[in-house]
Each structure stands twice: as C-alpha cells, then as structure tokens.
C-alpha cells in the first residue's frame, strides 16, 4: 500500500512504524503536521501524496475534515478503548493503573472518538516508570500490534467497529482533562512514593515543579527510598555522584535530573548541577538510579550502563569507561555491555554541552570522553558483546559497534547519526565499514535515517536479534553469551577480531581523522551545530518536512 504517516514529530514510535512498513514492502511517506500554516495547505499536501491509507502514530494536531472524509485515517491513541484526551499516559501513571492499552481509531471531528480498528492491552509495571520510558517500551509494542491489525483489516476490506461494540478490558475509562505542569506540583509533606509517581507521570515533559532551596525547579528521573533522615521535608539530605536526595513527609526522594524553572523551563541537567548537595553526605543510591551494575554468571560478566534518556556527558563517559575497565579485570571470558529496558545510549549530552560556559569546549571534552570508552571496548582482551536493549542513536550506536559482537532486542530502532551538524566520531569510520562495507556505511552516514534491528541484522551491522519481551531477551542473551564463552567458539571469535584489527589502520588513525572533523564542527561551527543543538533541546518545530522522509 501507499501509506502516509501524518505525525507531529518523527519520534521513536513513528520511526519504528516507518521502518516496519518499509520492510514489509509498503511505499511510505511522512508529513509533519506542524509545518503547515493553514489546514488547506495540509489538505493539498495529502492530496498530492494520494495515499491509500493515512496512519498517525504520534499526532497532536487535528486532522482536517477534508482529509479524514476522503482518505482512511487512523489515529494511534496511547490509551485503551474508551479513553480520550491528550494526557492519557499521565493519568494512567498517576492513577496507578494495573493495566493500560493502545487503541487505533478512525479520525473524526471529535478527538479520540472514532470507530475502533484495533486495540491492545498490556500490564503496567509494578513500580512507576517515567512516561517516556513507558511510551518507548510497552506502549510502543502495543502500538505496533495495533498497526499490524489495521493493515490486515484494510487489506482484507474489513471495517472498524463502533467503540460501543468493542470489549472494554480496562474499566473506568473516559474523557480525561489535559494535565499541565501545575498539576504535577510536589508537596514535600507527602510520601516519597507518591512524589516519585508524580515525577514519573510528568517525565520527560512537562516535568514536576517544586521548591528546593528557595528556588523553583522541575524534577525528573526520580526514585523513592524508605530511608528516614528526620530532616524537614524539602531538605536536601544526601547525594550520590550527580543524584540528590530530598527528605519527604515519609521516606526520601532521589532525583537524577532537574531544570531551573522561571518563566520557562531551563535545560534538563544532572540534578547536582541544579541543586546544591555539596555539603550533604554521600549516600547509597537506590538500585533503579545506579549508573552501573555488574553481575557475573560463571564465564560471562554483564555490565549495565544507565544514562537518562541515553545522553552521556563527559564525567559520566569517564565513569562508564572505568566501569568497563574494572569489569575487564575479572577472569571471565566474555563481557556483555548492555543498557536498560528503556534506554541504551544516544551519544554525547547536548543539554550539558549547551548549558556550559563554553559549549564548544564542553562538546570537545564530551567527544574525547566517549571516544575513550569506545577505545577501551575495541581494545579489550576479552570477547566483548554489546546488547542494544532499547533504541540507540548517534554515538550510542557507534560505541555499540566497537565491541566484537553486537546484538539487539526485536523492535529496537537504531539511528546511526542525526542531522546535528557534526561529522561524528566514536570510531565510526572503523567500526561501521568493517561490518557493512564502505559503500553501505557511506550511505547510512549520509542519509541519517533510522533502521530497525531486523534490518541492521540483515545487512550485517549487528550479529543477531533477540525476543521483544524483556525477560525472554535476557534469557536469550544469556544463552548467546554462554555460547560465545565456549572455548572453541571463543578462540574462533577472538582470532577473527584480531584479524580484523590487523587488516585495519590503527584505531588512533580513525580517531584522529574523526576528531579533526569534529574540531571544525565544534569550534568553527561550520555546519550549524549550535543552532541545531538548541532547536533539538527546545523541541523547535521544523519548518518543513525533510525531503528524505517524503514519498520518493
């Protein structure tokens, strides 16, 4: 089919749908709804595209009547049958729902009120996770199931059902009001568990506002602890690396990220850069906020790296490098480096860079730090495996390719690089071509378009794709790693890696060439990195849909 994705942004879910449809032979184009000044302009663009079907996996704008009356138009709504409103996931997290869902429904005059094409219900995590993490994992998986059902019905000529005819698996749904930042205000007299849930519902936007140390801030990435300090609620009582602990009515709230809040919200930064915790004691952080964790299973070591939304700033890259070096001192045969269920890595930290007194110098320091991590992974004596447990982008993808073996979870989307006005480093000129060849590597780096884990596996960019379910993936990853640890297999893999390195120029050559280009991008700003960085951080709407996303 000729399918138009009408969306408000080419976000993670839209990218996943885009990849999936293209891989199944559909002709797919994208239009960003916010780039049109008038509804009639959008109507003309749709008429020019002449799609068989319009899918809207992420749409905050209203679809003009001239569009949905003429073309089958399906909205993917992050709520179960009967749920309506723009703050669906916020309410689900705040209410502590045990189940939630995704519904694909026809666009009509009234928002989220059209006939139902498909629905999918999932269990909510036992502990509250951030809205962004929920959206990128269970919501995205349910959305993909709905998209497949829509395509099946359209192909077979089936019609959607009126919502009243559909079974409502999740009870007490209906139209819910838009939640704004003030609705997530934190009262430090409340229990830490309740405040953590409120922060999760507001993360990553609009953020939960609070008064801390006489300043207005927005808080993100929070976890509750039952530790009682006896301090007045709202008092900063401890820190661990860049996370800070704040006393509550009962328990303690650990906060990983914060932003200054004046008339507008500032850049999200590691919490200790916004909240002064320098005079507080160093405390053990809850496991859910720990930057790294290492476990060993006989001959295999597993190192989990955690970075908020996948952004890794200079000091954090250095800590990750130290953690990898320490893990490599263990007498294991295989080291698996992995992310969490909700994030792997997107490379350097644009927010920390932009907030620095000298952004160019900070960017330079950040790229050096992530390159050092890549060098340690590439030069390891043990067999190293990267597991893309969640979406990855830019330097996060390239760092993952620096290990001997790279695998991914089904459904993961990889963005080799973004349109950010920088050449890129992370040894990509070595790691990518040796896997996919020079020609295909040049194409991937030039196009700067996402690919699915399945496509990455097909072209040899990665070595395997495991199950989509996280528990099943962990089991698959364990079996895969243990297989690599078998002496005969291990010897073969290590010999192959040594041969590849021997045939290549020294890694220092690749790093030097890449950093020479990056120096010009950072310090001379030859390709507009400063402006593109700020537009990304402020979520500035693009003026036009990139030509590469439209129908070819």
């Amino acid at each position: 089919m000729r399918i138009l994705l009408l969306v408000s942004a080419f976000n993670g879910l839209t990218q996943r749908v885009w990849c999936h449809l293209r891989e199944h032979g559909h002709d797919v184009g994208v239009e960003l709804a916010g780039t049109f000044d008038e509804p009639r302009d959008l109507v003309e663009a749709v008429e020019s595209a002449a799609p068989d079907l319009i899918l809207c996996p992420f749409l905050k704008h209203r679809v003009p009547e001239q569009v949905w009356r003429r073309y089958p138009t399906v909205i993917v709504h992050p709520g179960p049958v009967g749920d309506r409103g723009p703050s669906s996931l916020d309410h689900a997290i705040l209410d502590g729902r045990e189940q939630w869902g995704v519904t694909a429904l026809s666009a009509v005059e009234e928002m989220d009120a059209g006939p139902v094409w498909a629905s999918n219900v999932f269990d909510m995590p036992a502990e509250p996770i951030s809205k962004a993490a929920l959206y990128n994992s269970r919501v995205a998986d349910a959305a993909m199931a709905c998209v497949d059902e829509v395509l099946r019905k359209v192909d077979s000529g089936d019609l959607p059902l009126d919502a009243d005819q559909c079974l409502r698996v999740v009870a007490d749904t209906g139209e819910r009001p838009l939640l704004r930042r003030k609705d997530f205000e934190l009262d430090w007299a409340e229990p830490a568990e309740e405040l953590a849930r409120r922060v999760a519902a507001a993360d990553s936007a609009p953020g939960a506002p609070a008064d801390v140390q006489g300043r207005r801030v927005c808080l993100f990435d929070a976890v509750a602890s039952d530790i009682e300090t006896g301090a007045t609620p709202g008092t900063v009582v401890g820190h661990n690396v860049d996370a800070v602990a704040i006393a509550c009515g009962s328990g303690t709230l650990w906060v990983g990220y914060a932003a200054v809040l004046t008339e507008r919200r500032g850049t999200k930064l590691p919490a200790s850069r916004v909240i002064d915790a320098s005079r507080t004691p160093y405390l053990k952080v809850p496991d859910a906020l720990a930057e790294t964790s290492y476990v060993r299973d006989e001959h295999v070591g597993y190192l989990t790296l955690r970075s908020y939304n996948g952004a890794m700033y200079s000091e954090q890259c250095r800590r990750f490098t130290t953690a990898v070096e320490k893990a490599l001192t263990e007498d294991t045969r295989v080291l698996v480096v992995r992310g969490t269920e909700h994030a792997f890595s997107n490379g350097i930290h644009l927010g920390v860079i932009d907030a620095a007194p000298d952004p160019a110098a900070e960017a330079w320091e950040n790229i050096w730090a992530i390159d050092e991590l890549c060098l340690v992974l590439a030069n390891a004596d043990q067999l190293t495996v990267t597991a893309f447990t969640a979406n990855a982008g830019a330097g996060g993808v390239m760092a993952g390719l620096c290990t001997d073996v790279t695998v991914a979870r089904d459904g993961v989307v990889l963005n080799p690089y973004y349109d950010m006005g920088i050449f890129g480093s992370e040894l990509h000129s070595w790691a990518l071509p040796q896997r996919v060849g020079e020609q295909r590597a040049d194409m991937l780096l030039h196009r700067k378009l996402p690919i699915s884990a399945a496509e990455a596996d097909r072209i040899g960019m990665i070595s395997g794709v495991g199950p989509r379910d996280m528990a099943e993936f962990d089991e698959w990853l364990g079996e895969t790693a243990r297989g690599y640890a078998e002496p005969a297999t291990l010897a073969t893999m290590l010999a192959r890696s040594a041969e590849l390195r021997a045939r290549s120029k020294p890694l220092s050559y690749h790093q030097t060439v890449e950093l020479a280009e990056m120096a010009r991008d950072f310090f001379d700003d030859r390709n507009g990195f400063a402006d593109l960085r700020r537009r990304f951080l402020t979520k500035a709407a693009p003026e036009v849909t990139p030509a590469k996303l439209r129908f070819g």
Side-chain angles (χ1 to χ4, degrees):
M1 283 186 284
R2 187 174 172 86
I3 302 174
L4 176 66
L5 300 183
L6 180 59
V7 294
S8 296
F10 195 54
N11 69 343
L13 176 56
T14 303
Q15 293 175 25
R16 187 169 167 185
V17 173
W18 183 82
C19 291
H20 181 74
L21 296 177
R22 285 164 54 92
E23 288 162 16
H24 283 75
H26 300 288
D27 187 12
V28 187
V30 177
E31 284 291 352
L32 301 178
T35 62
F36 298 96
D37 295 328
E38 299 291 338
R40 65 174 178 270
D41 298 328
L42 174 55
V43 174
E44 290 176 2
V46 173
E47 289 176 345
S48 177
D52 301 315
L53 172 68
I54 299 174
L55 283 176
C56 309
F58 177 71
L59 185 66
K60 295 182 177 181
H61 298 78
R62 186 175 293 277
V63 181
E65 183 177 357
Q66 299 96 310
V67 171
W68 57 259
R69 284 200 181 277
R70 182 172 176 182
Y71 304 95
T73 304
V74 180
I75 309 290
V76 179
H77 173 69
V81 173
D83 177 78
R84 295 173 58 191
S87 301
S88 179
L89 293 182
D90 313 51
H91 285 289
I93 296 171
L94 283 176
D95 296 345
R97 291 282 190 153
E98 294 182 357
Q99 283 189 317
W100 203 240
V102 172
T103 306
L105 38 81
S106 291
V108 294
E109 182 64 29
E110 205 170 351
M111 298 286 280
D112 306 329
V116 174
W117 287 89
S119 64
N120 190 279
V121 172
F122 55 86
D123 292 332
M124 292 282 280
E127 297 294 327
I129 63 172
S130 76
K131 179 172 55 180
L134 179 63
Y135 181 83
N136 289 324
S137 55
R138 302 190 188 198
V139 171
D141 288 345
M144 294 305 298
C146 286
V147 166
D148 282 340
E149 179 68 7
V150 169
L151 295 180
R152 187 193 66 76
K153 287 184 175 179
V154 171
D155 186 56
S156 62
D158 294 344
L159 296 175
L161 297 175
D162 187 85
D164 293 336
Q165 298 177 278
C166 297
L167 176 65
R168 299 198 180 192
V169 178
V170 180
D172 300 322
T173 58
E175 186 169 3
R176 299 178 186 278
L178 169 68
L179 294 177
R180 302 188 183 276
R181 183 176 292 139
K182 61 181 177 60
D183 297 308
F184 300 100
E185 181 78 34
L186 300 187
D187 178 353
W188 295 114
E190 296 184 53
E193 291 84 354
E194 175 59 31
L195 299 184
R197 183 175 296 280
R198 199 167 302 160
V199 174
D203 198 335
S204 58
D211 292 316
V212 180
Q213 297 174 331
R215 303 172 70 201
R216 291 290 287 169
V217 296
C218 264
L219 303 183
F220 309 87
D221 196 27
V223 175
S225 166
D226 58 6
I227 294 177
E228 297 288 353
T229 63
T232 303
T235 303
V236 179
V237 293
H239 71 281
N240 184 298
V241 188
D242 283 330
V244 301
I246 303 174
C248 303
S250 63
T252 302
L253 187 72
W254 279 90
V255 178
Y257 265 67
V260 174
L261 182 59
T262 53
E263 292 183 3
R264 299 184 64 180
R265 193 195 77 195
T267 302
K268 286 184 280 187
L269 299 170
S272 66
R273 301 187 179 213
V274 178
I275 299 168
D276 182 13
S278 58
R279 299 181 181 179
T280 63
Y282 193 90
L283 303 177
K284 184 180 184 302
V285 72
D287 291 343
L289 271 186
E291 274 192 341
T292 62
S293 63
Y294 178 84
V295 295
R296 177 174 176 165
D297 180 13
E298 295 185 349
H299 301 301
V300 180
Y302 297 87
L303 177 64
T304 300
L305 307 181
R306 180 189 187 276
S307 56
Y308 177 65
N309 289 344
M312 306 193 308
Y313 50 99
S314 303
E315 296 91 335
Q316 190 174 48
C317 288
R318 295 190 189 100
R319 292 193 293 268
F320 286 161
T321 300
T322 300
V324 171
E325 290 173 332
K326 183 178 179 181
L328 289 170
T329 64
E330 297 283 331
D331 60 339
T332 51
R333 299 172 183 169
V334 176
L335 173 63
V336 177
V337 180
R338 55 171 294 161
T340 66
E341 180 180 358
H342 315 299
F344 184 78
S345 172
N346 292 314
I348 60 177
H349 199 304
L350 300 179
V352 169
I353 290 170
D354 200 63
D358 185 343
E362 177 61 34
W364 184 244
E365 184 177 355
N366 202 165
I367 201 67
W368 267 99
I370 197 171
D371 271 12
E372 290 303 310
L373 172 62
C374 294
L375 285 166
V376 168
L377 292 172
N379 286 317
D381 292 330
Q382 291 188 23
L383 186 76
T384 52
V385 178
T386 293
F388 287 127
T389 51
N391 295 349
V397 172
M398 299 309 168
L401 299 184
C402 287
T403 54
D404 299 301
V405 179
T406 308
V407 298
R409 187 161 63 103
D410 183 34
V412 160
V413 173
L414 305 176
N415 274 280
Y417 274 118
Y418 305 114
D419 288 317
M420 201 54 64
I422 52 179
F423 180 79
S425 191
E426 299 95 6
L427 304 182
H428 75 265
S429 60
W430 166 74
L432 189 58
Q434 73 170 348
R435 291 170 180 256
V436 303
E438 293 283 353
Q439 185 175 359
R440 179 166 274 146
D442 287 344
M443 182 192 70
L444 289 169
L445 294 170
H446 176 72
R447 293 176 68 212
K448 294 181 172 62
L449 287 171
I451 64 172
S452 70
E455 175 67 6
D457 183 41
R458 187 187 70 80
I459 65 176
M461 184 173 165
I462 63 175
S463 306
V465 179
R468 183 173 302 178
D469 178 82
M470 197 67 222
E472 294 178 7
F473 177 79
D474 287 342
E475 184 176 347
W476 175 87
L477 180 61
E479 292 175 357
T480 301
R482 287 190 292 272
Y484 286 129
E486 291 295 325
T489 303
L490 181 66
T492 301
M493 297 295 292
L494 289 174
R496 188 182 73 173
S497 295
E499 182 183 354
L500 286 172
R501 280 194 287 268
R503 291 205 311 259
S504 303
K505 294 183 178 71
L507 296 181
S508 58
Y509 166 84
H510 292 279
Q511 184 186 31
T512 300
V513 171
E514 293 168 3
L515 289 178
E517 299 288 347
M518 293 293 275
R520 298 178 66 192
D521 291 332
F522 290 155
F523 294 104
D524 299 336
D525 199 21
R526 59 176 176 171
N527 293 313
F529 172 58
D531 180 63
L532 290 168
R533 179 184 71 238
R534 293 188 191 106
R535 290 182 64 83
F536 175 84
L537 291 170
T538 59
K539 292 183 170 54
E543 297 176 358
V544 296
T545 301
K548 64 184 179 181
L549 296 180
R550 287 187 161 133
F551 287 110

